[in-house]
Structure formats: C-alpha cells, structure tokens
C-alpha cells in the first residue's frame, strides 16, 4: 500500500470514528486497526494525533461544503423563485443531512468543544469552516434583492448553526424546516420575494 492510499484509509477511519465518538475517545491504535495500516505507517502519514485531527477536519470541511453547494445548485435552479430559492435550499439540504444515519451535529463545533481550549489548530480550522460557510451564504444572499445582504447572511448562518444544534442535541427532526421558515421570513423582511 502506497502513502496516498494509506493516508486515505486513515482519514476515512478517522472521519468515521472521530465524528461518531469524539476525538479524545479514539486512540491511535484503534485508528490503525480500523484503517488496516501498521502503526509505523500511521505515524509516517500523521506524525502526531493533532496532525490527523487537523487533516480530518480540513477534508470534512471540503466535502461538507461541496455537498452543500452541489445540492443548492441542483435543487434551487429547478425552482421558479430564482436567486431567492438558493439560500432557502441550504435548509432543505440540512433536512436531508439531519435524516442520515449517524448524524451527530457539526463536526467543527464538536471538535472545538472537545479541544478548542487546548488546541489552537482545532480552533483555527473550526473558525475557517464557519467563515467559509458565511462566505458561501453571503454569496447566495448577494444575488437576492435584499437590504443589508451581509447582515442577512449572518442571520441565516445563525439559523443554520441553530438548526444543526437542535437536530443533534434535541433530536429535533423538523429543525431544518423550522429554520427554513424563519429564513424565509427574514428574507421577506429584508426585501426578498422568497417563499
């Protein structure tokens, strides 16, 4: 097995185990076993656990945001509401994500809650993820005729994070739908024709 294949297998195992059980509860030996690599190979790919944690979070960020954007592109373009449908499609995607087996909330807030006080790298990656999400939502909102699009984008991201927390912590399956309704009301109040 070459370095790239080993790295991918380790990251796959880390994503499953870290997201499912938390970072601190998963040891490197367990990761090695789950990935099917030697301990020596694991440490060749990731010299320390914090290197693996950072790589896991960065890869998850990339995949999560790509899946969101792909969904919004595919579903919002099919609706007649034009650009106003795009920010609301984010909440539709959240609803599908919340229904997936193994949904455990926001990996970045989970990691920050576990390690943010002791790991600047985890805090940095978590902040970068949230800033990228805000940038994405702001881009969607700027295409809609609303007053203060930057403010509206921040409000929508708060709804997104609140829906994720509600779905994860409270087992609230309708959190995405409720947040979507609130988002549509905010967009309407800001001058959009959204429904």
């Amino acid at each position: 097995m070459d370095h790239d294949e080993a790295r991918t297998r380790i990251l796959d195992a880390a994503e499953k185990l870290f997201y499912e059980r938390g970072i601190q509860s998963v040891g490197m030996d367990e990761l090695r076993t789950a990935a099917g690599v030697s301990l020596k190979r694991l440490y060749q790919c990731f010299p320390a656990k914090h290197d693996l944690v950072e790589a896991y979070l960065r890869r998850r960020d990339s995949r999560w945001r790509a899946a969101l954007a792909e969904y919004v592109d595919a579903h919002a373009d099919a609706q007649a509401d034009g650009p106003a449908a795009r920010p609301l499609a984010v909440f539709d995607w959240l609803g599908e994500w919340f229904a997936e087996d193994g949904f455990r909330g926001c990996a970045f807030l989970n990691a920050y809650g576990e390690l943010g006080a002791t790991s600047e790298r985890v805090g940095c990656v978590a902040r970068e993820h949230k800033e990228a999400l805000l940038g994405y939502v702001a881009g969607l909102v700027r295409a809609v005729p609303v007053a203060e699009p930057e403010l509206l984008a921040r409000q929508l991201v708060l709804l997104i994070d609140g829906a994720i927390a509600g779905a994860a912590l409270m087992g609230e399956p309708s959190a995405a739908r409720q947040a979507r309704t609130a988002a549509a009301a905010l967009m309407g109040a800001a001058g959009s024709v959204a429904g």
Side-chain angles (χ1 to χ4, degrees):
M1 164 184 343
D2 68 13
H3 181 82
D4 289 341
E5 180 185 352
R7 183 179 169 82
T8 298
R9 289 172 70 167
I10 294 163
L11 284 170
D12 289 346
E15 184 156 10
K16 179 183 182 321
L17 293 171
F18 288 164
Y19 185 68
E20 185 177 279
R21 297 198 353 239
I23 295 165
Q24 293 179 347
S25 70
V26 178
M28 293 299 267
D29 194 53
E30 184 178 4
L31 278 164
R32 174 201 64 79
T33 301
V37 301
S38 70
L39 202 54
K40 179 180 179 182
R41 175 62 90 175
L42 184 136
Y43 283 110
Q44 286 172 342
C45 293
F46 301 99
K49 188 174 182 180
H50 64 252
D51 297 319
L52 176 57
V53 170
E54 183 177 358
Y56 145 68
L57 289 171
R58 290 196 184 284
R59 186 175 84 154
R60 184 163 180 96
D61 167 65
S62 176
R63 290 176 166 193
W64 190 90
R65 289 188 300 113
L68 171 60
E70 182 179 317
Y71 181 94
V72 168
D73 288 346
H75 289 81
D77 290 344
Q79 298 180 17
D81 290 335
R86 296 178 71 75
L88 297 177
V90 169
F91 297 92
D92 299 333
W93 180 79
L94 290 175
E96 290 191 12
W97 178 41
F98 297 169
E100 289 178 5
D101 285 341
F103 170 74
R104 301 256 310 127
C106 176
F108 304 91
L109 291 179
N110 294 347
Y112 186 80
E114 269 194 89
L115 300 171
T118 59
S119 173
E120 179 55 35
R121 290 167 75 176
V122 166
C124 180
V125 174
R127 281 186 294 279
E128 287 172 4
H129 168 75
K130 294 303 179 184
E131 289 166 1
L133 175 60
L134 176 59
Y136 174 71
V137 172
L140 298 177
V141 171
R142 281 187 214 107
V144 181
V146 295
E148 300 185 78
E150 301 304 318
L151 174 62
L152 179 58
R154 289 186 180 282
Q155 293 169 335
L156 295 181
V157 169
L158 286 173
L159 287 173
I160 291 166
D161 283 335
I164 294 169
L169 297 174
M170 306 302 289
E172 183 59 55
S174 63
R177 188 175 63 252
Q178 292 169 6
R180 187 188 196 282
T181 300
L186 283 171
M187 289 175 66
S192 165
V193 186

